[in-house]
Structure formats: C-alpha cells, structure tokens
Amino acid sequence: MNIVLFGPPGSGKGTQAKMLAEKYRIPHISTGDILRDNLKRKTKLGLEAKSYMDKGELVPDDVLIGITKDRLSQSDCASGFLLDGYPRTLPQADALSKILNAMGKKLDVVLNIDVPDDELIKRLAGRRMCVCGASYQIVFNPPKQERICDLCGNTLYHRDDDKEEAIMNRLDVYKHQTQPLINYYTKEGMMLLTVNGAAGISEVFDEICRLLDNLKIGDS
Ligand code: AMP
C-alpha cells in the first residue's frame, strides 16, 4: 500500500504514521525525522536545513525531492510505504509523481487528518519529543514520569519549531503551500480520505484503519 499522509503540524500525523506503518508493515518515511537525524549528526544537509526548520519554514524543494527519491528507491519500499511530511509543495507533488512513474508505481491513497487551528496551537505548544523518536503531549498524552521518555528513559525536549512564533509560521506555511495539494490530488482523481483528527489517538487510528481496510488494497 503506497500512502501519503497529510495533516497540519500538531494533527498527530507522526503518531498515526508510526502506528499505521507498524500495522500495515510498510516503512514510515518522515522527511522531518530524516532532516532531524541529519541535524543531530551535523551533516552538511542537516546544517543547511537547520535555519529553515528552526523558523518553521520549508527546506528548499530540490533538497527534499532528492531525499525522498533516495529513500523510496530503498528495498524496504518495494511492497509499500507511508510518506509523512512529503509532499508539502506543488513541485514536490509533481516530483513524486515522476519518481513513482519511473519506478512503475503509483500512490494508492492520500489520507488527510483534519484538526481546527485552536486545537493545533494548544497541542503543539505542549508537545515534547524524545531523541528516540517518541512524542508526548503534556496534557493529552503525558509521559508516566514528568519530562522522561516512557520508552527509553531519556529526557524529553521542546522542539525549537514548537515554540510560539515558529508554530504560527508553520500553520501559515501549511495553509498556503501544503493544503492546496488536497485539491491537486482531488483533481488528479486520487482516492482521498479525510478523518477528524480532533478525536483521541486510538479513535483516529481506528477510523483510519477502518477506511483503509474498506479499500482492500493489496501489496503494490
Ligand atoms: P515535520 O517533522 O514533518 O513537522 O517537519 C519539520 C520541519 O522539517 C518542517 O517544518 C520543515 O522545515 C522541514 N521539512 C520536513 N519535510 C519537509 C518537506 N517535505 N519540504 C520542506 N521542508 C520540510
């Protein structure tokens, strides 16, 4: 199953993506995670991306197109993938079509998690991350012990781009550059499924699984 997952920052996209990847046994490709990993390792790519990411701006298209092309060509994507955080612009969506065409593949479904702005702001301001990739929300999904990751015991941190000014910028960027892609895929005749992301994590997950299972898509 080849899936693109859309949702504004704070919609729970990353959390759902991890759970879906596990259930459907497909790799979870998060371009944000790939960039953060490069940042942590201080690679040339990470250093180039840092200034954009800290401000909540998009990293240039050519960089993201290259990353995604490389990742999709890896063998674990042979029987499907879940793209989280890509595409975010029209040129990225066009590039994705070309990359998949060249591989003899196509997208099966675009999932869209919808959450109202005021809820997103609340969630992002209280989001805390762990270096292991786990993500918490201090009110709705807190760790068992304050500031400590349940999974690995590391101290949680507050992403620079989850601070107020960057949050507003990211929501603005999402509205103007990424949301129009929903129309783009609708016009292309793509299967588009929208879920209400304001519900709890497991309710949203169950709803997405129900919709995906109804599609009865085999490996592709
Ligand atoms: P995310 O973890 O998906 O919220 O991504 C964190 C940040 O990484 C974004 O705010 C962007 O600065 C950058 N980023 C991730 N994916 C992309 C993309 N497809 N295009 C441009 N920038 C991206």
Side-chain angles (χ1 to χ4, degrees):
M1 192 152 31
N2 300 335
I3 309 176
V4 161
L5 182 58
F6 278 120
S11 59
K13 186 167 52 76
T15 303
Q16 296 297 332
K18 280 194 195 86
M19 294 161 74
L20 290 166
E22 197 176 321
K23 172 167 165 120
Y24 293 99
R25 297 175 193 208
I26 48 177
H28 167 208
I29 303 176
S30 157
T31 45
D33 283 351
I34 294 173
L35 291 171
R36 276 185 291 279
D37 175 59
N38 275 274
L39 230 157
K40 201 167 70 190
R41 291 186 289 115
K42 296 194 168 55
T43 65
K44 187 165 167 273
L45 170 64
L47 297 175
E48 187 186 343
K50 182 173 168 42
S51 60
Y52 298 99
M53 293 174 75
D54 283 352
K55 284 183 270 180
E57 288 170 4
L58 293 184
V59 177
D61 284 337
D62 55 339
V63 176
L64 267 298
I65 292 169
I67 290 176
T68 307
K69 187 172 178 193
D70 285 352
R71 185 63 189 87
L72 287 174
S73 66
Q74 290 174 20
S75 57
D76 62 339
C77 295
S79 56
F81 56 81
L82 192 160
L83 273 173
D84 158 14
Y86 184 101
R88 267 173 147 106
T89 64
L90 217 50
Q92 291 184 18
D94 280 335
L96 178 62
S97 296
K98 291 194 183 112
I99 293 166
L100 293 177
N101 258 335
M103 295 172 143
K105 297 182 179 192
K106 60 173 184 50
L107 288 180
D108 292 308
V109 59
V110 170
L111 283 170
N112 177 33
I113 305 184
D114 196 28
V115 180
D117 276 4
D118 52 346
E119 175 72 17
L120 294 173
I121 294 166
K122 245 190 315 193
R123 287 185 183 183
L124 286 169
R127 182 157 76 172
R128 297 293 179 271
M129 307 294 293
C130 178
V131 284
C132 77
S135 157
Y136 300 86
Q137 211 292 340
I138 52 179
V139 180
F140 313 111
N141 178 32
K144 292 193 181 85
Q145 196 184 337
E146 203 182 337
R147 281 183 294 161
I148 302 294
C149 179
D150 292 349
L151 302 181
C152 71
N154 270 305
T155 304
L156 303 179
Y157 68 95
H158 194 188
R159 271 170 54 171
D160 281 335
D161 61 352
D162 280 344
K163 296 181 182 158
E164 197 178 333
E165 201 183 312
I167 290 177
M168 300 316 285
N169 206 7
R170 286 164 71 205
L171 291 178
D172 201 53
V173 165
Y174 185 81
K175 271 209 179 96
H176 291 101
Q177 303 204 53
T178 307
Q179 208 151 284
L181 296 182
I182 303 287
N183 262 341
Y184 167 95
Y185 282 117
T186 307
K187 280 193 193 135
E188 297 250 302
M190 180 64 60
M191 170 67 64
L192 173 75
L193 303 174
T194 295
V195 294
N196 170 17
I201 293 174
S202 53
E203 281 103 320
V204 176
F205 180 65
D206 290 347
E207 175 64 0
I208 296 176
C209 294
R210 192 184 64 76
L211 293 170
L212 288 179
D213 292 344
N214 275 342
L215 294 178
K216 301 195 172 30
I217 299 167
D219 287 352
S220 51

